[in-house]
Amino acid sequence: MPGLLEVIGYLGLAFGVIMSINTGRRLAQRRHDAELVARYGRRLPGVGLVLYAYMTLAFILNVFSVLLFQVFASEAKLLLAVLTGSLASFVAGVVMTIVLIAGSYYFFKKRYEGVDRPLTREGRLALRGVDLGARAAEGAQGLLRRRRGR
């Protein structure tokens, strides 16, 4: 029967794999939504640029938060690895995490290529704002045409 530390280690490994795959998926979703905003935001040049900058900033901040989380999580593991002499397993864990995040990012990036709707809450809000602005601009142009026609 496995010991308590062994069970905790397996649970930590499973949790790390799931978190790494989820991180890659979220990064692919944010990147997909930023590309959608860039494509549909051209109807309103000012608003589209602001929304694209916001979505790109959200993507960059997400990448930095993932990196900071990995650094903080790795610090304690590195200290334990040095103390116990298992530095090779620590390096293997870091490499496995990076490979899982990159692999899941590219997998979900390819999967989301054909999707023509936003995948994140921020993307839905941004495109809703672009649509609202486009309808307001069309309404104002229609009003101006009607007034000129009189």
Side-chain angles (χ1 to χ4, degrees):
M1 182 165 163
L4 181 62
L5 289 178
E6 201 171 326
V7 170
I8 291 173
Y10 288 135
L11 288 175
L13 175 66
F15 185 69
V17 167
I18 291 169
M19 291 295 292
S20 297
I21 291 171
N22 191 39
T23 298
R25 182 181 62 88
R26 293 294 296 171
L27 290 176
Q29 286 177 344
R30 288 194 183 275
R31 176 70 185 227
H32 172 267
D33 287 356
E35 290 171 358
L36 277 182
V37 168
R39 187 176 345 147
Y40 292 124
R42 291 186 183 145
R43 290 184 280 175
L44 296 172
V47 175
L49 181 66
V50 170
L51 291 174
Y52 179 70
Y54 168 74
M55 295 299 291
T56 304
L57 181 66
F59 176 75
I60 292 169
L61 288 176
N62 200 349
V63 169
F64 281 129
S65 69
V66 166
L67 290 176
L68 284 175
F69 176 75
Q70 291 298 328
V71 166
F72 287 134
S74 296
E75 284 179 5
K77 291 178 187 175
L78 178 62
L79 180 64
L80 287 173
V82 169
L83 291 175
T84 60
S86 59
L87 195 56
S89 64
F90 169 76
V91 172
V94 169
V95 169
M96 183 182 76
T97 300
I98 292 170
V99 168
L100 277 173
I101 290 173
S104 66
Y105 171 77
Y106 285 113
F107 171 78
F108 285 108
K109 182 180 174 191
K110 289 291 185 187
R111 185 174 178 195
Y112 295 146
E113 278 181 356
V115 178
D116 203 27
R117 62 178 171 76
L119 300 169
T120 63
R121 183 177 54 87
E122 293 88 2
R124 287 190 292 274
L125 290 174
L127 287 181
R128 193 175 301 149
V130 168
D131 288 340
L132 181 64
R135 284 192 302 241
E138 289 170 6
Q141 288 174 354
L143 182 64
L144 286 174
R145 276 181 273 172
R146 285 193 300 269
R147 287 192 182 208
R148 287 183 189 161
R150 285 187 195 177

